[in-house]
Amino acid sequence: KLLENVSSIDFTSSYPAVMLSEKFPMSKPKKEDLKVTPFKELLADKDKGLMFDIRFNNLRSKLTFETYLSESKCVTISNPVVHNGRVFSADYAVTTMTDIDFRIMQKCYTWDSVQIDNCYSFYMTYLPKAIIMSIIKLYGDKTTLKGVEGMETEYLVSKGMLNSVYGMCVTDIVRDNISY
């Protein structure tokens, strides 16, 4: 289908921006009793990140084109309409997601009801100052070295280190805080 009047924005250095401006899980997971603390209350707490299993009943996309939920992320799905691996509708779909995913789902889909199980919360806060300062330095190095003749190797090293900080942070946070 031909689309007209379409625009886009190239957001430079998205990983560093997110690492400096967003909160990350910084605790061991805590199993939540949804009979004691309702899901809506947990979802409203900006200092908590959530991970949970969810069943959507009568899931329908609000969008005409690309949708959010990948069929491959569904543990169980009934009577799905799928395009390019993305779910447009289903009688029901069961998946595991985070509070961030859920907020996106609210914007992209409608449903008749949901059932939430196995809800875990994490304390959310900004990355430690030492990591933030490292990100700022690496970003500065990357931007000042870009396009400088004779500094191609240093630029690539800065860029690679900057892009790998996100993976290292997430890996360390998960390794240090979640025990199975």
Side-chain angles (χ1 to χ4, degrees), residues 2 8 19 26 71 121 147:
L2 179 63
S8 66
M19 290 186 293
M26 297 288 182
E71 181 182 29
S121 67

Side-chain angles (χ1 to χ4, degrees), residues 11 14-26 46 99-100 103 124-128 132 135 166 173:
F11 190 77
S14 187
Y15 281 165
V18 168
M19 290 186 293
L20 296 177
S21 64
E22 300 294 328
K23 293 181 178 181
F24 288 83
M26 297 288 182
K46 300 292 184 197
D99 54 305
I100 297 168
R103 287 184 182 93
M124 303 288 284
T125 192
Y126 297 103
L127 292 175
I132 289 173
I135 293 165
Y166 178 79
I173 290 166

Side-chain angles (χ1 to χ4, degrees), residues 110-173:
T110 61
W111 51 80
D112 290 347
S113 62
V114 294
Q115 178 183 338
I116 296 168
D117 294 305
N118 301 317
C119 184
Y120 290 85
S121 67
F122 301 83
Y123 174 69
M124 303 288 284
T125 192
Y126 297 103
L127 292 175
K129 186 175 180 179
I131 293 174
I132 289 173
M133 298 310 293
S134 296
I135 293 165
I136 291 169
K137 181 184 180 333
L138 288 167
Y139 183 75
D141 291 348
K142 180 192 125 179
T143 55
T144 57
L145 294 171
K146 186 174 185 173
V148 176
E149 191 173 327
M151 299 299 284
E152 294 83 4
T153 301
E154 290 81 354
Y155 164 74
L156 289 173
V157 168
S158 295
K159 182 178 179 181
M161 299 238 342
L162 181 62
N163 289 339
S164 68
V165 170
Y166 178 79
M168 290 186 301
C169 287
V170 172
T171 300
D172 287 348
I173 290 166

Side-chain angles (χ1 to χ4, degrees), residues 70-90:
S70 293
E71 181 182 29
S72 65
K73 300 291 182 187
C74 295
V75 176
T76 308
I77 192 163
S78 173
N79 198 25
V81 174
V82 178
H83 177 67
N84 199 25
R86 302 289 182 148
V87 178
F88 275 84
S89 65

